[in-house]
């Protein structure tokens, strides 16, 4: 969830599944999901309100849409060519403009 929020895949204000629902979906204990939501809330990524559920915080800064699109294209190309995540990150770093 953390990476999806920071990447902008989950937008500010978007409601997350309930603890029970997500626990069922993932096949884990509800306490595990509750703890994860608590950590996300402590980091300011989500806001929980009794009766209103848990939502992505509106104050989370996300990359511009064009950067997200390019990142998704890189990920698809890497997977299609058998490139692992660590290799893709190294490639991105190697092509990053130097100051």
């Amino acid at each position: 969830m953390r990476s999806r929020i920071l990447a902008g895949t989950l937008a500010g204000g978007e409601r997350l599944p309930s603890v029970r629902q997500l626990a069922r979906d993932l096949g884990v204990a509800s306490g595990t999901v509750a703890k994860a939501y608590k950590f996300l809330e402590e980091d300011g990524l989500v806001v929980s309100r009794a009766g209103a559920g848990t939502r992505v915080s509106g104050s989370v800064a996300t990359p511009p849409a064009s950067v997200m699109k390019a990142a998704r294209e890189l990920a698809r190309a890497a997977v299609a060519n058998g490139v692992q995540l660590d290799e893709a990150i190294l490639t991105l770093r190697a092509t990053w403009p130097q100051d």
Side-chain angles (χ1 to χ4, degrees):
M1 291 267 184
R2 174 186 306 283
S3 61
R4 291 183 64 200
I5 292 168
L6 293 174
T9 307
L10 292 172
E14 189 168 340
R15 187 171 181 165
L16 301 180
S18 70
V19 168
R20 288 182 187 160
Q21 181 62 52
L22 188 56
R24 255 191 316 270
D25 292 348
L26 298 176
V28 299
S30 58
T32 302
V33 174
K35 191 181 293 187
Y37 276 9
K38 182 180 178 205
F39 288 142
L40 291 171
E41 188 167 19
E42 288 172 357
D43 290 344
L45 298 177
V46 300
V47 177
S48 296
R49 302 249 194 279
T54 302
R55 296 184 180 274
V56 175
S57 173
S59 63
V60 176
T62 57
S66 61
V67 173
M68 288 305 304
K69 180 180 177 188
R72 283 191 285 275
E73 289 172 7
L74 172 60
R76 278 192 291 273
V79 169
N81 289 285
V83 175
Q84 298 297 313
L85 175 59
D86 291 341
E87 291 177 86
I89 292 170
L90 288 174
T91 302
L92 183 57
R93 284 193 176 134
T95 59
W96 200 263
Q98 301 298 315
D99 291 337

